[in-house]
């Protein structure tokens, strides 16, 4: 795609920049798979790694990224919406452009990206949920992948919400393909997509308690029976340490 080719030309190579050279450290992770209360069943208990989110980028972003940012900001101003009120910050990382959007302006920004002739991001390929326990006040993130078939470009939108208020506007009215993706993110992460036409569980049973892909969800899961034998949950198995 054009977006990938232009990104390669911007940096001159395809080697990702190391994450620990900048950005915002939100957590120090010890071990593997989040098992902290029991014995180490993975053999990776000695790992220590800083979890860092990429920081805001500064102009110029390079290539067509500036063109998209300029057009989006101009289109929002024409709607009497100050860009800095809608776009919290912009990240350029791994040759990808991500706009972090204030959740109350998400629908308007998405519709602008879809309808503006110079932008024309006609397709949203889905929304992914992310849970960062250390990102206080914005633990839940929803990430949207937008593709412009007209211009051959790919960008992302990212929206955050706190665990205590997990509400994000639904984009189904703008991108109908998000219907089941939003249901999945609700099912696994507990993100409530306000305005969704039928926000119900899609994978877990209707009476399931909790959201199994949140980082504070118990790791142990459910014991499994097999031919009369019972396999203990992962955090109840033997320790290698």
């Amino acid at each position: 795609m054009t977006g990938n080719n232009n990104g390669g030309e911007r940096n001159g190579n395809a080697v990702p920049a190391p994450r620990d050279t900048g950005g915002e450290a939100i957590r120090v992770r010890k071990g593997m798979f989040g098992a902290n209360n029991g014995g180490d069943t993975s053999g990776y208990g000695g790992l220590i790694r800083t979890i860092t989110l990429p920081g805001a980028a500064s102009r110029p972003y390079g290539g067509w990224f500036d063109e998209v940012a300029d057009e989006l900001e101009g289109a929002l101003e024409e709607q009497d919406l100050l860009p800095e009120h809608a776009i919290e910050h912009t990240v350029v990382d791994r040759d990808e452009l991500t706009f972090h959007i204030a959740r109350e302006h998400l629908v308007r920004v998405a519709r602008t990206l879809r309808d503006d002739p110079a932008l024309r991001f006609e397709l949203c390929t889905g929304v992914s949920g992310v849970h960062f326990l250390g990102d206080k006040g914005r633990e839940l993130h929803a990430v949207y992948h937008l593709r412009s078939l007209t211009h051959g470009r790919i960008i992302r939108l990212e929206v955050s919400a706190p665990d205590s208020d997990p509400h994000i506007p639904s984009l189904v009215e703008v991108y109908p393909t998000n219907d089941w993706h939003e249901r999945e993110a609700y099912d696994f992460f507990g993100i409530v997509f306000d305005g969704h036409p039928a926000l119900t569980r899609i994978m877990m049973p209707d009476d399931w308690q909790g959201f199994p892909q949140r980082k504070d969800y118990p790791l142990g899961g459910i014991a499994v029976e097999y031919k009369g034998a019972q396999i203990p949950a992962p955090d109840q198995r033997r320790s290698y340490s």
Side-chain angles (χ1 to χ4, degrees):
M1 294 298 293
T2 303
N4 292 339
N5 291 337
N6 287 350
E9 293 172 1
R10 237 185 352 268
N11 287 346
N13 58 65
V15 179
R19 270 283 167 79
D20 56 1
T21 58
E24 180 184 0
I26 61 170
R27 181 186 177 194
V28 175
R29 179 175 178 176
K30 299 180 180 179
M32 185 68 82
F33 309 121
N36 299 314
N37 299 325
D40 172 29
T41 61
S42 68
Y44 295 97
L47 289 180
I48 299 177
R49 184 165 66 93
T50 301
I51 307 299
T52 304
L53 301 181
S58 301
R59 296 277 198 148
Y61 303 139
W64 54 265
F65 288 1
D66 290 283
E67 180 184 340
V68 169
D70 289 341
E71 185 61 35
L72 176 59
E73 291 174 5
L76 293 177
E77 288 176 345
E78 291 175 359
Q79 302 174 48
D80 296 324
L81 175 59
L82 292 176
E84 57 267 28
H85 290 172
I87 305 172
E88 296 176 336
H89 60 279
T90 302
V91 171
V92 176
D93 184 63
R94 304 307 200 258
D95 284 338
E96 295 179 331
L97 176 65
T98 303
F99 295 110
H100 287 249
I101 305 300
R103 55 180 171 171
E104 62 269 22
H105 298 302
L106 174 62
V107 175
R108 184 185 296 195
V109 170
R111 186 177 287 112
T112 301
L113 287 165
R114 185 195 66 182
D115 296 342
D116 190 286
L119 295 169
R120 292 299 290 154
F121 287 91
E122 308 100 329
L123 176 64
C124 180
T125 58
V127 57
S128 303
V130 189
H131 191 216
F132 293 112
L133 276 177
D135 198 10
K136 300 302 182 184
R138 51 182 190 180
E139 292 87 356
L140 291 166
H141 292 237
V143 184
Y144 303 84
H145 306 266
L146 306 185
R147 181 184 294 269
S148 172
L149 304 178
T150 299
H151 303 293
R153 296 168 173 174
I154 301 173
I155 65 171
R156 296 190 302 179
L157 302 182
E158 188 163 341
V159 184
S160 61
D163 279 342
S164 58
D165 182 25
H167 290 263
I168 291 175
S170 170
L171 284 189
V172 171
E173 66 176 87
V174 181
Y175 296 110
T177 52
N178 268 1
D179 190 340
W180 283 23
H181 292 276
E182 289 184 0
R183 286 180 61 190
E184 183 180 51
Y186 162 72
D187 196 358
F188 287 152
F189 291 92
I191 300 174
V192 179
F193 293 94
D194 294 327
H196 188 284
L199 193 62
T200 56
R201 290 195 181 273
I202 192 173
M203 302 293 287
M204 309 303 292
D206 290 340
D207 59 351
W208 191 267
Q209 299 298 312
F211 306 102
Q213 287 193 353
R214 286 197 184 188
K215 296 302 181 183
D216 54 359
Y217 190 80
L219 180 65
I222 301 174
V224 179
E225 293 186 3
Y226 180 71
K227 289 186 178 179
Q230 189 176 76
I231 302 174
D235 61 350
Q236 298 173 2
R237 300 174 191 171
R238 66 183 182 183
S239 171
Y240 296 114
S241 57

